[in-house]
Amino acid sequence: MSSTELPKHYELFIGGREVPSSKGEKTTLLNPANRAVLATAAVGGAEEARYAVEEAERAFRSGWAEADGAHRARVLFRLGQLLSERAEEFSRLETLNQGKPLRESKTDVLFAARTLEYMAGLADKVQGDSIPVPGERMDYTVREPIGVTVHIAPWNYPLQLSVRSLAPALAAGNTAVLKPATLTPLTALAFARLAKEAGLPDGVLNVLVGPGREVGETLVEDPRVASVSFTGSLEVGKRIMELASRHVRPVTLELGGKSPNIVFADADLDRAARGVLYGIFLNAGQMCWAGSRLIVQRSVQEAFLGKLSELARKLKIGPGWEPGVEMGPLVSEDQMQRVLGYVEKGQSEGARLVTGGHRAGAPGLEKGNFVEPTIFADARPDMAISREEIFGPVLTSLAFDTFEEAMALANDSTYGLFSGVWTKDLSTAHRAARHIQAGMVSVNEYPVTFPQTPFGGYKQSGIGWEQGIHALDFYTRTKNVNVFFGAPRKK
Ligand code: NAD
């Protein structure tokens, strides 16, 4: 697979048409597996951001919000179907731009398609309540779309995470401006064109590539914007919350994690080893929900680490488009250096390197951003590799003796996004699920989520929920209506 099949240049997509950068700026996109130039993409600035909001606002007022929910459902369902039909094409684009193996890209694309179908099914079910009140009155609530919604996406699941927040926003009758990460805008731009083909009216979805500081902040601060859905790092999430607070603008923040994968001695250790492996090395560990802390019962620690490191050493590393590849490159050279920096830090802080720890240097990989699957054992909870989000293929292992110790280690984090529990004992599983301070707990499977199940974090992993039926709440507001129908009082 090569970049020759791609257009050489991608424009912004605003108001249903391709729009060049007003200043003629563009970014060069590199293939992370070999750093070859893939294409260029137009880069917008504050002017384009304001224009995108203007188009989204116009589209909001010209009928999408008032359209019959069943109409919106049909358009979104068609879009989901088109995306499924073109899954191969979108997966190739994602793999070339982001680096992950084709199999993973395809899972992401089909997840996005299924999200669209799921939210399409809810589009005509956005309804209020009738509330009993005293006297000759009727009281009811209606749920209205909120207006122009802004969506800021990261580079690790470029299409899937964009669609995750766009689908409920559009289903509820809002319009949207999406700002994908500048490193990985290709599938989002292709998706906007597909949405037009599916019948989404012009201006309902606008996609704008550009620097977060300029484009992102202009969007967050625009007085015509009703909400901001942000998925990305903790630092930028804080900045967005601060900016949005100036305008009392609601935000959802889907931020980072340092998720525990807890293996009890009674678990099926072979099964657990596979789950822990995929939980950290899928997407080369560039996952907010990565199970980056293995918390393993001391009595099985060495046996478990043995199984795990054997599996890790066998993982086939290579360009995402090659058959059988199980781990691709990191998204950029910067990200690779950052990850290698953590590996160095782990060693200098005294953790034991069980496997990996270097750039992957097999012939053919030298030009790419490849890092070996890396496992540290005997880590202390206060080490940087135990506390900070590395966002790469690096697992930190900590040992426990008792259930209480396992819970204390699991909860010893400023984050609380995902968590895994491996045990055959039903009461251990449920007790752990009750004690773990995280938005999601998965027993004997990792990582797993569905469009119909909520995704969100405790603590500094974020605010609000994506996916599931309640995701619609953020994109609607409730209006209470009271009607007095009693006879006028006699004087
Ligand atoms: P990032 O915060 O650097 O960037 C995310 C997006 O924000 C990009 O589109 C970027 O251009 C934009 N941005 C940057 N500065 C901005 C600013 N000042 N104002 C407005 N927008 C700005 O994150 P990243 O490096 O792309 O992604 C990795 C991070 O995302 C990790 O921390 C990861 O855990 C997190 N993440 C969370 C989830 C989740 O669902 N909780 C999912 C995926 C990734």
Side-chain angles (χ1 to χ4, degrees):
M1 192 166 67
S2 76
S3 55
T4 50
E5 61 200 72
L6 302 186
K8 285 201 161 28
H9 182 72
Y10 287 74
E11 301 288 20
L12 311 171
F13 196 84
I14 303 175
R17 60 188 185 87
E18 311 220 344
V19 174
S21 157
S22 60
K23 292 188 200 145
E25 285 179 11
K26 56 186 179 181
T27 179
T28 301
L29 304 168
L30 302 181
N31 182 335
N34 52 23
R35 300 195 194 137
V37 173
L38 276 182
T40 55
V43 169
E47 189 178 323
E48 282 85 357
R50 285 190 285 270
Y51 176 47
V53 174
E54 186 181 316
E55 285 296 307
E57 202 192 26
R58 189 191 48 71
F60 184 72
R61 281 196 260 97
S62 28
W64 180 250
E66 277 90 44
D68 180 4
H71 170 70
R72 293 197 300 270
R74 278 190 291 272
V75 174
L76 292 178
F77 197 81
R78 204 177 304 133
L79 180 53
Q81 288 189 314
L82 276 179
L83 191 56
S84 298
E85 285 163 21
R86 310 246 182 107
E88 297 294 334
E89 176 191 329
F90 272 82
S91 311
R92 276 202 308 278
L93 200 55
E94 197 78 297
T95 288
L96 282 171
N97 194 182
Q98 198 273 353
K100 62 179 72 181
L102 262 182
R103 199 173 50 180
E104 287 183 44
S105 293
K106 193 156 177 197
T107 304
D108 295 357
V109 172
L110 293 177
F111 192 104
R114 176 72 194 108
T115 302
L116 286 158
E117 291 173 357
Y118 175 77
M119 290 298 170
L122 296 176
D124 59 353
K125 297 166 194 73
V126 182
Q127 57 197 32
D129 297 311
S130 161
I131 303 171
V133 289
E136 292 180 296
R137 296 183 183 87
M138 183 188 168
D139 193 287
Y140 63 93
T141 60
V142 283
R143 283 168 63 198
E144 299 175 338
I146 56 178
V148 176
T149 60
V150 162
H151 306 255
I152 301 180
W155 47 256
N156 61 336
Y157 291 87
L159 181 70
Q160 187 191 324
L161 296 183
S162 300
V163 171
R164 178 172 81 169
S165 69
L166 285 171
L170 300 181
N174 303 287
T175 57
V177 179
L178 166 68
K179 196 204 89 57
T182 314
L183 282 173
T184 55
L186 294 185
T187 45
L189 289 165
F191 179 72
R193 286 159 184 76
L194 196 71
K196 184 172 168 103
E197 203 179 317
L200 199 72
D202 291 351
V204 171
L205 169 60
N206 308 278
V207 180
L208 183 56
V209 184
R213 276 256 160 212
E214 185 179 351
V215 168
E217 296 200 7
T218 306
L219 290 173
V220 175
E221 292 236 76
D222 190 301
R224 298 163 294 180
V225 163
S227 72
V228 179
S229 304
F230 171 78
T231 306
S233 62
L234 176 60
E235 298 68 38
V236 178
K238 285 180 182 169
R239 170 83 182 143
I240 284 180
M241 197 169 174
E242 186 190 318
L243 293 177
S245 75
R246 295 182 193 166
H247 308 270
V248 197
R249 182 157 301 147
V251 292
T252 56
L253 302 176
E254 294 289 341
L255 310 175
K258 191 75 187 172
S259 298
N261 226 334
I262 309 164
V263 178
F264 289 92
D266 73 322
D268 174 340
L269 294 185
D270 290 318
R271 200 164 141 191
R274 296 215 156 266
V276 171
L277 183 89
Y278 293 124
I280 183 64
F281 299 131
L282 273 179
N283 205 355
Q286 301 164 116
M287 298 183 282
C288 55
W289 60 334
S292 50
R293 285 186 299 146
L294 166 64
I295 297 180
V296 57
Q297 200 147 18
R298 206 177 306 276
S299 56
V300 294
Q301 175 181 227
E302 286 314 313
F304 190 74
L305 285 173
K307 280 179 197 294
L308 191 61
S309 45
E310 196 186 324
L311 290 173
R313 278 193 282 270
K314 281 192 196 146
L315 281 177
K316 185 170 175 198
I317 304 176
W321 58 86
E322 280 186 6
V325 161
E326 292 164 294
M327 203 177 94
L330 296 174
V331 73
S332 64
E333 189 172 355
D334 280 356
Q335 186 64 13
M336 181 181 77
Q337 295 304 350
R338 183 173 180 269
V339 170
L340 291 172
Y342 271 108
V343 173
E344 245 179 76
K345 212 169 189 175
Q347 284 175 292
S348 67
E349 285 184 329
R352 167 165 58 106
L353 189 61
V354 178
T355 187
H358 309 98
R359 269 186 84 168
L365 304 187
E366 311 86 347
K367 289 191 187 153
N369 310 316
F370 296 94
V371 172
E372 291 172 346
T374 298
I375 302 176
F376 279 109
D378 303 337
R380 287 190 320 273
D382 62 338
M383 290 178 176
I385 57 165
S386 303
R387 308 205 73 77
E388 295 171 24
E389 185 182 46
I390 299 177
F391 226 57
V394 180
L395 179 69
T396 302
S397 170
L398 302 136
F400 70 90
D401 289 305
T402 63
F403 177 88
E404 288 68 28
E405 270 173 41
M407 295 301 105
L409 283 171
N411 293 332
D412 182 18
S413 173
T414 49
Y415 294 111
L417 190 59
F418 211 85
S419 58
V421 178
W422 300 85
T423 178
K424 285 188 192 141
D425 186 300
L426 208 56
S427 67
T428 303
H430 285 292
R431 277 177 72 211
R434 184 162 289 187
H435 281 87
I436 292 171
Q437 294 159 4
M440 292 161 283
V441 180
S442 180
V443 178
N444 293 335
E445 195 177 15
Y446 202 108
V448 63
T449 186
F450 300 94
Q452 60 270 43
T453 58
F455 196 106
Y458 282 19
K459 302 194 256 184
Q460 295 200 10
S461 285
I463 294 176
W465 294 91
E466 300 281 3
Q467 302 176 187
I469 205 161
H470 299 295
L472 279 177
D473 294 348
F474 181 71
Y475 297 105
T476 55
R477 39 182 160 231
T478 298
K479 181 181 278 171
N480 190 74
V481 181
N482 172 65
V483 181
F484 179 72
F485 54 79
R489 286 210 189 105
K490 287 188 185 133
K491 288 194 179 145

